[in-house]
Each structure stands twice: as C-alpha cells, then as structure tokens.
Amino acid sequence: MRDSDFNLILKLGSLFSFILMVYILLPFIDAISFGIAFAYITKPAYDLFKKRFSKSTSAILSILVLTIPVIATILIILEQLIYYLLNLDVTQLSASISSLITKISIYDINLTQYWAPISADLFKFLEGILNGLLSQLSMIPLVMIKVLIILFMTYYFLKDGHKLLRASLVHVPECYQAHVRIFAQKLNDFYKNMFTGTALTSLIAMVIAIIGYQLMGVPSALALGVLTGICVLLPVIGGWGVYMPLAIYYLIQGNILYALAIYLFGTIFLSFILDFYIRPKVVKSGGNVHPVMTLAAFLIAPLTLGIAGFALGPIIVGAFDSLYGLKDGEVSLINLRPNCELSTISQLDTDEDEE
C-alpha cells in the first residue's frame, strides 16, 4: 500500500470517528455546555482553593460552593411554600379579593359577565400545564443522568481544562498555531466575562434583595432574596419577577403602603440601579462585549434553544465574536499569508501546570 493511500484511509477514518463522536455527544450537548458554564462560574473559587489544596480537591470544593447553596435554596423555598400553604387563611384571602372586586365595581365594571369565560380558559390553561408536567415525569431519569454529567464535566473542566489548548495544538500545523492561540485567548476572555460577570451580578442582586426584604420585614426574606438572584440570571424576567408578585400580593391583602414600598425598593435597587449601573460595571470590568452579543447570548438563544440556550448561547455567540474579533491589526484566521511567517507570541503560551 502506498503512503498516499494510507494517509487517505487515515484521514477518512479520523473523519468517520469524529462524526460518530459528535453523534454520540449531541443528545447531551446541553449538559456539556452547562458543565463549561459552571466551570467558568466556579473558576474564581477554584483559583482560591488551589493555593492551599490539590487540583482535585479544589475542583470538588468549588463544585460544592456552587451546589450546596442551590440545594439549600430549593429546600428553603419548598419549606416556605409548604408552610405558606398549610397556614393560608383562605377566608381572609377570599374576603380581600371580594373587597377588591367591590372597589372595582364602583366604576360600574360588571365582572360577572367576564368571569365565566376567563375562568374556563384559566382552567384549560392549568389543565394543559398539569398534563405537561405529568408527561415530563418519564424524563426524570434522563434529567438525573444529565445532572451527573454536568457535575463530572465541571470537575474535569476545572481540573484539566488548561490542557485542552495544548492538546488541540498538536493537531494544528505550526504556522497556524499563533492564530489558534489568539482565538483561544479571545474565546476564554469572552466566556470568563459572560459567565462570571452574570453570576457576579446575580450574587449582588441576591445580597441587595435579602438586605432590603429583611429591613422591610418581609417574611422569608432569605428565600425571596435567593429567588431574586436566580431570576436575575434569566433573560427578560430579572428582579421584577419576584418583587412585582410580592407587591401585588400585599396590594390584594389591602396593605397599599407596604405594597408601594416593595415596588419602589424593587424598581430602584433591583431594576434601575442593578441594570443601569451595577451590571454595566461588572460586564465592563470583565472585557469589552457588545450589548448585542449579550442580548443574543442570554435572550435570543434561550428563546430559540430552550433551557439549553442559557449555556449554549454564550458558547456559540462567544465563538462567533472571537472569530470576528481577529482583525487585521492582530492576526486573521481568514487572510493567512502563504509563507506562514508568524512570530511566536510568548504572552499567549500556556504552561501545562498553569490554568
């Protein structure tokens, strides 16, 4: 067999193996993406732990820093929800709603004629949601498997993620390696900014909400504050996803001043200051990311891809932005010089022992 024939077979075999690998991993691409996202989110904690512990121990501790608060939050919210349902004064709530309807009826609005069709549509809507939840019960084993994959991926991305670039460069011609290094550096900066900046903004919102709700005497201030931080991670929803329903609840209860105080607190601190001052400061400190890229990563991608879009969106948009950012002033991946006369870029060299 000639060398050319053997090289052709080797290339075809490599391509076939790559396609099979993509086929195997594609159903779990969302779990892998969340593993990458959580690795970047927990990277600051990992760097702190690594000063005193081994890489494996630091990665485990970093994952615990992320998972323990999430599990504790879920348990607190469930506990508060059960407590609220068990102690719900249905009579008082019904009287409050009746009082509100009576006040509205002063303006000669006949709600009776609208209530029947509205209630019918509401019950159909709730029935659809319930059927959807029941149909999703069969997905619980798959969800648990994906959770385990996310944890393992986060662990190994933290522990061995710094080796990915060096392992990839082995398969890249030497004259192209400088380009790939620049691209990888830009990609790393983008991901660090998007994931870490978003997580930091959520943490700040959580602290502000807990302090504010605690000072105003709102029950379950801790759970509501943590829930606010989670909502800040979600596109469009933000902090108003918690303080608006809370204000409406106290409005229905007839406590207008309390509802107004919660609304003003949320609007000023959890919407205006957070979105127009804190978030830009945090994002700017992590790098220069255009607002359109942020919108595409955290709003358009989840609307298109669903829950997986929260992690896949920044990854896809980050790759596009990094490719587009390789301008003529640096090195272009598209306009390569035929002779490949590129100088070594020492500041982008990666040490195998450093991350």
Side-chain angles (χ1 to χ4, degrees):
M1 180 181 293
R2 293 178 300 179
D3 291 342
S4 59
D5 296 334
F6 179 78
N7 289 333
L8 178 61
I9 294 174
L10 184 62
K11 291 178 180 179
L12 291 176
S14 301
L15 179 61
F16 182 69
S17 301
F18 176 76
I19 294 174
L20 287 179
M21 180 64 69
V22 172
Y23 177 77
I24 292 172
L25 297 179
L26 194 59
F28 299 93
I29 190 66
D30 52 349
I32 297 172
S33 301
F34 275 109
I36 296 174
F38 292 154
Y40 273 98
I41 291 174
T42 56
K43 187 64 164 58
Y46 174 79
D47 292 336
L48 291 176
F49 287 128
K50 199 178 65 167
K51 295 177 181 179
R52 308 188 68 176
F53 304 101
S54 65
K55 292 181 180 180
S56 300
T57 304
S58 300
I60 293 174
L61 292 176
S62 302
I63 293 174
L64 292 178
V65 168
L66 178 67
T67 55
I68 290 178
V70 172
I71 296 175
T73 300
I74 294 174
L75 294 177
I76 290 173
I77 292 175
L78 289 176
E79 179 189 5
Q80 295 296 330
L81 181 61
I82 294 173
Y83 176 82
Y84 173 78
L85 292 176
L86 292 177
N87 294 274
L88 181 63
D89 191 346
V90 181
T91 304
Q92 182 181 358
L93 182 60
S94 177
S96 300
I97 296 176
S98 300
S99 175
L100 183 61
I101 294 176
T102 303
K103 292 178 182 178
I104 295 176
S105 64
I106 296 176
Y107 299 97
D108 296 329
I109 300 176
N110 187 6
L111 297 178
T112 306
Q113 60 179 336
Y114 301 106
W115 176 247
I118 290 176
S119 61
D121 293 338
L122 180 62
F123 281 120
K124 288 182 180 179
F125 176 73
L126 294 176
E127 183 182 3
I129 292 179
L130 182 60
N131 291 333
L133 291 175
L134 292 177
S135 65
Q136 294 296 320
L137 290 178
S138 60
M139 302 293 292
I140 291 179
L142 180 61
V143 171
M144 297 303 297
I145 292 175
K146 287 189 175 182
V147 169
L148 291 177
I149 292 175
I150 291 172
L151 293 177
F152 277 106
M153 285 294 177
T154 304
Y155 171 80
Y156 284 109
F157 278 130
L158 285 171
K159 181 175 176 290
D160 300 323
H162 62 287
K163 299 179 181 179
L164 289 176
L165 178 59
R166 186 174 294 276
S168 301
L169 287 176
V170 174
H171 306 282
V172 178
E174 186 176 355
C175 59
Y176 299 144
Q177 289 186 6
H179 304 76
V180 176
R181 289 176 185 273
I182 294 176
F183 170 73
Q185 184 65 48
K186 286 181 173 292
L187 198 64
N188 179 69
D189 292 341
F190 185 94
Y191 291 163
K192 186 187 299 183
N193 176 45
M194 295 297 289
F195 290 123
T196 308
T198 302
L200 183 58
T201 303
S202 171
L203 181 62
I204 294 173
M206 186 186 305
V207 173
I208 293 174
I210 291 175
I211 294 175
Y213 292 144
Q214 192 72 43
L215 292 176
M216 288 188 292
V218 177
S220 307
L222 178 60
L224 291 173
V226 174
L227 187 60
T228 300
I230 295 174
C231 288
V232 169
L233 292 173
L234 305 177
V236 179
I237 297 178
W240 69 268
V242 175
Y243 72 77
M244 280 296 291
L246 193 62
I248 293 173
Y249 169 77
Y250 282 106
L251 182 63
I252 293 176
Q253 292 288 334
N255 200 335
I256 300 176
L257 292 178
Y258 209 56
L260 181 61
I262 293 175
Y263 173 76
L264 290 176
F265 163 75
T267 302
I268 295 173
F269 292 98
L270 299 178
S271 290
F272 184 78
I273 294 179
L274 184 69
D275 291 332
F276 292 96
Y277 181 77
I278 296 177
R279 192 188 298 272
K281 289 287 185 181
V282 172
V283 171
K284 187 176 181 181
S285 65
N288 185 20
V289 178
H290 197 278
V292 173
M293 293 294 140
T294 305
L295 181 69
F298 288 105
L299 176 57
I300 299 177
L303 293 176
T304 304
L305 303 174
I307 296 178
F310 288 108
L312 272 175
I315 291 175
I316 296 172
V317 173
F320 172 80
D321 182 75
S322 300
L323 284 170
Y324 181 77
L326 293 174
K327 301 178 181 178
D328 294 335
E330 298 165 351
V331 185
S332 175
L333 277 174
I334 299 175
N335 300 319
L336 293 175
R337 291 176 299 198
N339 55 9
C340 291
E341 294 177 357
L342 297 173
S343 59
T344 303
I345 304 177
S346 59
Q347 63 268 24
L348 293 178
D349 288 339
T350 53
D351 189 350
E352 199 160 314
D353 294 330
E354 296 294 330
E355 299 177 66

